[in-house]
């Protein structure tokens, strides 16, 4: 919820004779220097978020929110889906010069010249950018009703429904992720978590206290990437905290949606697990299990991934087939 959660990275991996550029993206959608591609969604289309506008072709980053999706193309933000709070109406300031995007629940964020731009729902003030987030920001993350920003000095800012951050994230942080009502930070390879803990989502397991390269917060669960394998904890009501074999090795990027997770593999393929109420994940009731994202054209090579509320969107090579 919502990339990055962590600061995004781009890396080159080779699958057979195919070289694939992999961009780390979270629900926050923070992505940098990804190759351009075609945004392909799957899962819920209740608000039109699964209907990609033609203008999004050639995007370099994607972010799946709860009811609205975002794409970044040539430095400008493209938004589609529900617009009840003006969240799909992109402000003029976000139509050029933007380097990162993050879609939340009916509110959106963009990063431009080190400053955060916010618009849409403001029930908790999440669309009002504090002065400290108007400059010197290197990464952004949002989810339900609050936002996180990472400053150049390694400190974390929070605003919206959750404003407090622990002293441990006042320096040395390299990545961030905002969950439903909890936050995650990556510091010296270990996960720092704070906020609500009703489902154990901030009780960091020992395995995630060192060697971690990426973090992502779901609604009431958390995931981390370590040595190519996913670690998960917190709410497991939909199986989202039970890591399947497919996500235990070869993973290069992760994103936690509200109640499901998406992993990007080193061969440019995608794997999703957890809630499947809107066909956003793997249907384990069939034999063999049905991977719904493949029916939406999320076929290799995939450049970037993002998970929202019962929905997902991937940035895919435009020449990739529509049925894998």
């Amino acid at each position: 919820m919502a990339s990055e959660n962590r600061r995004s990275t781009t890396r080159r991996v080779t699958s057979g004779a195919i070289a694939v550029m992999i961009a780390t993206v979270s629900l926050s959608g923070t992505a940098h220097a990804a190759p351009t591609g075609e945004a392909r969604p799957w899962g819920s289309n209740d608000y039109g978020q699964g209907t990609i506008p033609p203008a999004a072709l050639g995007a370099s980053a994607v972010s799946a929110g709860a009811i609205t999706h975002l794409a970044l193309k040539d430095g400008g933000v493209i938004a589609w889906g529900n617009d009840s709070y003006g969240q799909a109406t992109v402000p003029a300031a976000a139509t050029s010069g933007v380097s990162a995007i993050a879609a939340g629940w009916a509110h959106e964020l963009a990063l431009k010249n080190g400053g955060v731009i916010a618009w849409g729902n403001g029930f908790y003030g999440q669309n009002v950018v504090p002065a400290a987030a108007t400059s010197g920001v290197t990464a952004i993350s949002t989810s339900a009703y609050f936002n996180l920003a990472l400053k150049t000095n390694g400190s974390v800012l929070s605003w919206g429904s959750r404003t407090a951050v622990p002293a441990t994230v006042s320096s040395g942080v390299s990545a961030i992720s905002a969950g439903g009502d909890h936050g995650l930070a990556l510091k010296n390879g270990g996960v720092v978590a704070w906020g609500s803990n009703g489902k154990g989502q901030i009780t960091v397991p020992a395995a995630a206290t060192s060697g971690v390269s990426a973090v992502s917060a779901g609604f009431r669960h958390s995931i981390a990437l370590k040595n190519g394998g996913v670690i998960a904890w917190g709410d497991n009501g939909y199986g989202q905290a039970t890591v399947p074999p497919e996500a235990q090795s070869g993973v290069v990027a992760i994103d936690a949606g509200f109640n499901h997770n998406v992993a990007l593999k080193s061969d440019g393929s995608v794997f999703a697990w957890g809630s499947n109420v809107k066909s956003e994940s793997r249907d384990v009731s069939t034999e063999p299990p049905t991977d719904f994202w493949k029916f939406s054209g999320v076929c290799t090579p995939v450049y970037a991934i993002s998970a929202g509320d019962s929905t997902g969107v991937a940035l895919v090579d435009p020449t990739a087939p529509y049925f894998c």
Side-chain angles (χ1 to χ4, degrees):
M1 260 165 63
S3 134
E4 259 168 8
N5 51 4
R6 52 191 182 287
R7 187 176 301 173
S8 155
T9 59
T10 302
R11 66 192 79 186
R12 191 176 188 84
V13 297
T14 301
S15 175
I18 301 175
V20 182
M21 292 299 295
I22 302 298
T24 300
V25 181
S26 76
L27 180 138
S28 70
T30 306
H32 308 281
T36 60
E38 179 180 341
R40 295 185 185 175
W42 73 96
S44 175
N45 192 29
D46 292 347
Y47 300 94
Q49 71 271 47
T51 303
I52 304 291
L57 181 64
S60 58
V62 289
S63 183
I67 54 181
T68 309
H69 288 174
L70 300 179
L72 181 62
K73 180 181 177 181
D74 299 327
V77 179
I78 300 167
W80 65 96
N82 183 273
D83 196 33
S84 296
Y85 301 93
Q87 72 270 27
T89 302
V90 180
T95 59
S96 64
V98 172
S99 58
I101 52 176
W105 190 95
H107 74 283
E108 323 301 329
L109 300 181
L111 183 61
K112 180 177 180 177
N113 298 327
V116 179
I117 302 168
W119 67 98
N121 180 270
F123 285 165
Y124 299 94
Q126 66 269 42
N127 63 352
V128 179
V129 181
T134 59
S135 64
V137 174
T138 61
I140 52 176
S141 180
T142 187
S143 60
Y145 300 114
F146 79 102
N147 312 312
L148 295 178
L150 179 62
K151 300 277 285 184
T152 53
N153 63 1
S155 65
V156 178
L157 301 174
S158 180
W159 71 98
S161 62
R162 177 163 290 279
T163 58
V165 296
T168 48
V169 299
S170 61
S171 65
V173 173
S174 58
I176 52 175
S177 183
D181 191 35
H182 73 290
L184 299 180
L186 183 60
K187 182 175 181 177
N188 300 325
V191 179
V192 179
W194 67 95
S196 296
N197 198 36
K199 293 292 183 177
Q201 62 266 46
I202 69 168
T203 303
V204 180
T209 58
S210 64
V212 171
S213 57
V215 292
S216 187
F219 192 67
R220 293 187 297 185
H221 75 285
S222 306
I223 59 176
L225 181 62
K226 180 177 181 177
N227 299 327
V230 177
I231 303 168
W233 64 98
D235 188 10
N236 198 34
Y238 295 94
Q240 67 269 47
T242 301
V243 182
E246 293 87 346
Q248 293 177 13
S249 64
V251 176
V252 296
I254 56 173
D255 191 26
F258 276 51
N259 293 300
H260 76 295
N261 307 308
V262 181
L264 182 58
K265 303 276 286 186
S266 58
D267 62 0
S269 66
V270 167
F271 186 79
W273 75 98
S275 169
N276 196 41
V277 296
K278 293 289 183 178
S279 297
E280 71 270 28
S281 192
R282 164 168 277 202
D283 183 0
V284 295
S285 68
T286 63
E287 185 55 47
T290 303
D291 298 332
F292 287 107
W293 58 91
K294 294 182 179 180
F295 292 97
S296 298
V298 182
C299 307
T300 59
V302 176
Y303 301 143
I305 52 170
S306 186
D309 184 4
S310 302
T311 183
V313 63
L315 193 64
V316 176
D317 187 325
T319 65
Y322 265 86
F323 298 97
C324 315

